[in-house]
Amino acid sequence: MKMVKSLILGSAAGLIAMSGAQAADLPVKAKPVEYVKICSLYGAGFFYIPGTDTCLKLGGYLRIDTTFNGGVYDAPFWNGSGGGGDRFADFINSRSRMALTVDTRTATEYGVVRTFMQGDFQFQNFGTHNGNSGSTGPGGGIGSSGAGGQAVAAGQLSGLNSALLSSPGGGYVAVEFVFIQFAGFTFGKSASAYATPWHGYPGNNSSFLIGGHDTVTGVNNIQYSWQFGNGVSATLGLDDPTVFNRVALYNLSTGLGGNGLGTDNYGGFVVPDVVGNIRIDQAWGLFQISGAAHSVNASYNNLVAFNVPTGGATAATDSILSGHPESKAGGSVMAALQIKNIPWGAGDDIKMDASWAKGDTKNIIATSGASPSFAMVGGVPGQFGPSRTYGFGAATDAVFLPVANGGDGNLHLTESWGFRGAYNHNWDPYWSSSLFGGIGFVRYDGTAKALFCGVFGLNHPGLNVTYTCNPDFNVAQIGFVTRWTPVKNLTFSGEVLYTNLDQKFSGSSLFTPGAPQPTQIWTFHDQSTLALNVRVQRNF
């Protein structure tokens, strides 16, 4: 009986202890859940960052691109191993990209403060074999590298170019836009104030449509915009030209290669490009006038061997004593027009722009990246010119030959002009097509031609006997793209792009245009190529 009593009392004590513990553990009143609130001030997709008055929008796209007989994004085979049609070329090039955009906006007494970023997460197949790009063979191929095909890019020297990062399980991030906008000002990497809203894309997939300006991937700048009402605006800016708006400045004393291309001799960044536009953007369409002033400045008459390893290389130690040509002012102008509400189809439009430049060739021979020089071999895979023919075009801002080498020591600015445009037609809500094209003309003055041809003849025998020399050239393109959008924001497209190089040499000479091409009799001739691009893109 005593044991039973002890068990009952012990159980009661345990129950009381458990009750006390449960009472102590009763939950306190929960804080109200802070739901994400929609921000309707700046359009669809924005929401308030919890606990702030800043609105945020996340967006972007996922894009899969494959090009046949061309580089990624429908780049024509107009130089390198692709232009040479050799066995180092990747004739099928692909890139998978997810672009992520982050857009924040906050209302203040000074107006909206905005930040914007676009980062591209990318993986590609081209350029991964032998460490070479898909358009260059060992030693760079013909006319393959840098602005004008004359120097290996700094990223390749460091071994960290995008091709090497695209190893199995690899990839890389590219940065397009990163900028802040405040009280009419824009600071950071954004579109130039010179640009049209469509940049180099009046209706095409290709990032390589010749004929005008293209800063769709952004350029470091500072700019200010005025809004006058009724769709009328003006923008003035200062652009950093070093990465984007320099083609090549040839010091002819260093010679021209077998491919006819030279060595870049631009000096450092001293003066920013001054750029601007006046725009009318209304329901009927858009009209814009743009202008740019660009400084063309060489380093020295004796080219500096900068950052060259000591293993057998000799630096030009007397470069300062050799002097330099006087810098010159170049520039460009552009007129652009968009016509909307064309009666042949809902949403149809026409976009076009015409440009002229002197010493600012990037605003004519433009791509979304570096401007090309052209070096194409005929009668090889991917090229349509006759066998054993060669055509080239050196895209430069200026050329010069120092007095000590028999020249006048002055910069001779290269003149160029171009046109591009597209007609965009919607067949129905699911199908659309665009017919587009572009053309660029590059011209050297009489003195520049004489200097260029004199140097060219040093390693191309037969000047004015078996061949005539004229470095002027034209590049023309025409293309067609059709898109299918079966569901909203998912588009399949196919594009063909024909490119023709109209070079001005005639006759033939004994030389090699570059490894792995042989030394033989080459006939100078116009060249052409055709690329096919297929794309799948999902916007979000």
Side-chain angles (χ1 to χ4, degrees):
M1 189 70 176
K2 199 171 196 180
M3 183 178 293
V4 172
K5 185 176 180 182
S6 297
L7 286 171
I8 292 172
L9 291 174
S11 300
L15 289 171
I16 292 171
M18 289 175 62
S19 300
Q22 288 178 348
D25 291 340
L26 285 175
V28 297
K29 187 176 181 181
K31 293 182 178 179
V33 176
E34 188 172 0
Y35 293 99
V36 173
K37 295 187 295 184
I38 300 299
C39 174
S40 59
L41 297 175
Y42 310 110
F46 283 91
F47 59 90
Y48 284 100
I49 299 175
T52 75
D53 58 355
T54 296
C55 298
L56 171 67
K57 181 178 181 179
L58 302 176
Y61 61 83
L62 199 151
R63 174 189 293 169
I64 314 300
D65 256 290
T66 301
T67 303
F68 301 88
N69 198 49
V72 71
Y73 296 163
D74 220 4
F77 274 159
W78 48 30
N79 60 25
S81 284
D86 61 53
R87 293 184 64 82
F88 295 105
D90 294 327
F91 285 90
I92 302 175
N93 288 292
S94 299
R95 173 178 285 166
S96 300
R97 164 190 285 182
M98 188 187 79
L100 177 64
T101 61
V102 180
D103 190 346
T104 73
R105 307 190 192 189
T106 306
T108 74
E109 61 269 31
Y110 298 99
V112 176
V113 177
R114 182 190 184 198
T115 68
F116 184 87
M117 182 278 291
Q118 178 176 329
D120 300 335
F121 298 80
Q122 303 185 153
F123 181 85
Q124 60 203 32
N125 78 299
F126 59 95
T128 55
H129 71 283
N130 297 325
N132 298 311
S133 90
S135 60
T136 62
I142 59 171
S144 60
S145 57
Q150 62 276 355
V152 180
Q156 292 173 319
L157 289 174
S158 68
L160 291 177
N161 64 21
S162 58
L164 297 182
L165 292 172
S166 293
S167 58
Y172 65 101
V173 178
V175 178
E176 295 198 23
F177 291 152
V178 181
F179 61 82
I180 298 173
Q181 291 179 320
F182 172 69
F185 286 94
T186 299
F187 306 91
K189 190 170 187 277
S190 67
S192 171
Y194 187 89
T196 64
W198 56 85
H199 293 272
Y201 300 84
N204 44 296
N205 281 355
S206 175
S207 296
F208 300 86
L209 185 62
I210 295 298
H213 174 88
D214 186 358
T215 48
V216 72
T217 52
V219 59
N220 282 339
N221 62 56
I222 300 172
Q223 54 185 268
Y224 184 81
S225 296
W226 294 266
Q227 301 294 333
F228 302 113
N230 198 29
V232 180
S233 64
T235 303
L236 182 66
L238 300 175
D239 288 355
D240 176 353
T242 54
V243 173
F244 199 87
N245 199 33
R246 289 180 168 186
V247 180
L249 196 165
Y250 280 4
N251 181 345
L252 294 173
S253 70
T254 63
L256 295 170
N259 56 18
L261 307 180
T263 303
D264 186 24
N265 194 34
Y266 250 110
F269 177 25
V270 179
V271 180
D273 289 353
V274 181
V275 297
N277 75 68
I278 298 175
R279 180 184 299 173
I280 301 173
D281 190 353
Q282 298 177 341
W284 58 267
L286 176 147
F287 177 74
Q288 176 176 313
I289 295 289
S290 301
H294 174 67
S295 176
V296 184
N297 61 302
S299 59
Y300 295 106
N301 289 324
N302 284 355
L303 190 63
V304 181
F306 186 62
N307 283 345
V308 175
T310 57
T314 301
T317 55
D318 62 343
S319 293
I320 290 179
L321 298 179
S322 73
H324 59 83
E326 183 179 351
S327 299
K328 287 191 176 182
S332 60
V333 293
M334 175 176 62
L337 177 67
Q338 179 186 16
I339 302 173
K340 301 177 183 178
N341 302 321
I342 296 175
W344 306 316
D348 286 16
D349 77 341
I350 295 173
K351 300 184 182 79
M352 65 184 80
D353 51 76
S355 303
W356 171 87
K358 191 165 186 176
D360 199 5
T361 307
K362 181 58 189 283
N363 282 335
I364 305 296
I365 307 298
T367 74
S368 62
S371 288
S373 280
F374 304 88
M376 302 170 70
V377 173
V380 296
Q383 304 295 330
F384 298 152
S387 180
R388 294 196 174 189
T389 63
Y390 176 65
F392 79 96
T396 64
D397 283 342
V399 300
F400 76 99
L401 185 64
V403 173
N405 299 94
D408 60 8
N410 297 320
L411 294 179
H412 294 272
L413 302 184
T414 307
E415 187 174 8
S416 56
W417 57 94
F419 175 85
R420 70 186 168 196
Y423 168 54
N424 305 295
H425 175 64
N426 295 288
W427 302 99
D428 58 34
Y430 307 102
W431 290 90
S432 66
S433 298
S434 297
L435 177 66
F436 62 90
I439 190 167
F441 306 86
V442 176
R443 297 291 181 268
Y444 292 81
D445 68 30
T447 303
K449 288 180 182 179
L451 297 174
F452 189 103
C453 290
V455 174
F456 185 85
L458 296 177
N459 54 6
H460 296 77
L463 176 63
N464 296 326
V465 178
T466 62
Y467 72 93
T468 62
C469 171
N470 183 349
D472 295 346
F473 67 93
N474 309 324
V475 178
Q477 297 176 290
I478 188 167
F480 183 78
V481 58
T482 290
R483 309 173 189 86
W484 176 47
T485 306
V487 296
K488 185 178 180 180
N489 293 326
L490 176 64
T491 301
F492 300 81
S493 61
E495 176 180 274
V496 291
L497 176 62
Y498 174 81
T499 301
N500 176 259
L501 172 65
D502 174 18
Q503 56 88 53
K504 303 302 180 183
F505 281 65
S506 64
S508 58
S509 179
L510 177 68
F511 66 97
T512 174
Q517 301 296 336
T519 299
Q520 63 181 25
I521 298 295
W522 293 92
T523 299
F524 299 105
H525 197 280
D526 298 347
Q527 304 292 334
S528 57
T529 187
L530 182 72
L532 169 65
N533 170 265
V534 292
R535 170 178 292 180
V536 182
Q537 180 165 322
R538 163 67 167 163
N539 298 329
F540 56 88

